[in-house]
């Protein structure tokens, strides 16, 4: 069955079915179109079995992100897009209650406390690490990249943080728009 919420969002009624994922970018990479973050609030307020992921990699580079106002289940970030360095280091910010619902389909180095091979896949022994952040982190951690984050956050604070960057970006865009609209071709067109 479905229910239409007071905000007009049509959702399936909650039951014991697996949760579904509604994912959208906060801002798309090509032209910079932003999408309404209130989509997340509308899905969360519907009390449905939908979880919300916002790709904030591009958005967070020039807009402040408020997870109280935008209660997403998952938010992705790219520190390269925030600071310009280091490459290959990002974050998945997850609501603890939602992250506990996740199950790991495969496993690799670093995500298990104990592993042993059985006769078949069903006989394999694997004990995943108990902390969520370790359970879903396969492979070698980029220690140098993580150490560089301290300097990126310091630089971000020195320029006034995301609010100042958003204000400056908007001023530059308005300036460019004004200048481009003022251009005229030599033939007057």
């Amino acid at each position: 069955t479905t229910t239409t919420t007071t905000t007009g969002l049509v959702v399936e009624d909650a039951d014991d079915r697996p949760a579904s994922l509604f994912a959208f970018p906060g801002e798309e990479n090509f032209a910079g179109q932003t999408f309404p973050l209130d989509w997340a609030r509308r899905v969360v307020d519907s009390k449905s079995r939908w979880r919300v992921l916002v790709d904030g990699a591009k958005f967070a580079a020039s807009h402040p992100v408020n997870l109280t106002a935008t209660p997403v289940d998952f938010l992705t970030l790219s520190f390269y897009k925030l600071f310009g360095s280091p490459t290959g280091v990002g974050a998945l910010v997850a609501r603890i209650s939602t992250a506990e619902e996740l199950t790991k389909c495969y496993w690799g180095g670093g995500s298990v406390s104990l592993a042993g091979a059985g006769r078949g896949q069903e006989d394999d022994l694997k004990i995943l690490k108990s902390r969520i952040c370790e359970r879903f982190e396969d492979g070698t951690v980029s220690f140098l990249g993580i150490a560089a984050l301290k300097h990126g956050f310091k630089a971000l604070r020195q320029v006034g943080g995301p609010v100042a960057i958003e204000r400056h970006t908007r001023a530059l865009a308005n300036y460019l728009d004004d200048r481009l609209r003022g251009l005229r071709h030599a033939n007057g067109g």
Side-chain angles (χ1 to χ4, degrees):
T1 62
T2 60
T3 302
T4 303
T5 66
T6 57
T7 60
L9 184 69
V10 177
V11 297
E12 293 179 0
D13 291 333
D15 58 23
D16 59 354
R17 289 177 293 172
S20 298
L21 183 66
F22 175 56
F24 67 97
E27 182 175 358
E28 59 95 12
N29 284 317
F30 179 70
Q33 178 182 355
T34 58
F35 296 92
L37 294 181
D38 74 324
W39 287 354
R41 163 84 52 207
R42 291 170 64 188
V43 171
V44 170
D45 286 350
S46 73
K47 305 287 189 242
S48 67
R49 293 281 298 150
W50 283 85
R51 303 298 175 252
V52 179
L53 178 144
V54 172
D55 177 355
K58 171 88 167 58
F59 184 84
S62 58
H63 302 80
V65 177
N66 181 337
L67 293 177
T68 301
T70 308
V72 300
D73 296 293
F74 305 100
L75 173 71
T76 61
L77 297 171
S78 166
F79 294 115
Y80 179 76
K81 289 185 179 180
L82 282 173
F83 315 132
S85 176
T87 59
V89 179
L92 173 63
V93 179
R95 182 182 307 279
I96 292 174
S97 59
T98 306
E100 291 290 347
E101 297 175 4
L102 299 175
T103 55
K104 194 161 174 87
C105 300
Y106 61 89
W107 52 277
S111 64
V112 292
S113 295
L114 178 67
R119 283 184 245 168
Q121 193 171 16
E122 65 280 347
D123 295 332
D124 284 349
L125 169 67
K126 67 177 180 291
I127 298 175
L128 296 173
K129 291 192 173 177
S130 59
R131 293 179 56 209
I132 294 167
C133 60
E134 293 174 333
R135 192 179 326 147
F136 289 96
E137 188 174 73
D138 293 314
T140 304
V141 176
S142 175
F143 295 103
L144 294 176
I146 291 169
L149 294 178
K150 174 175 89 171
H151 304 289
F153 282 113
K154 180 180 177 186
L156 190 59
R157 275 192 308 276
Q158 287 175 335
V159 298
V163 173
I165 291 172
E166 180 180 39
R167 187 172 46 248
H168 184 70
T169 303
R170 184 169 289 124
L172 286 174
N174 289 338
Y175 173 77
L176 178 62
D177 184 59
D178 290 345
R179 296 300 303 257
L180 288 174
R181 288 178 190 275
L183 291 177
R184 296 290 174 253
H185 192 273
N187 69 6

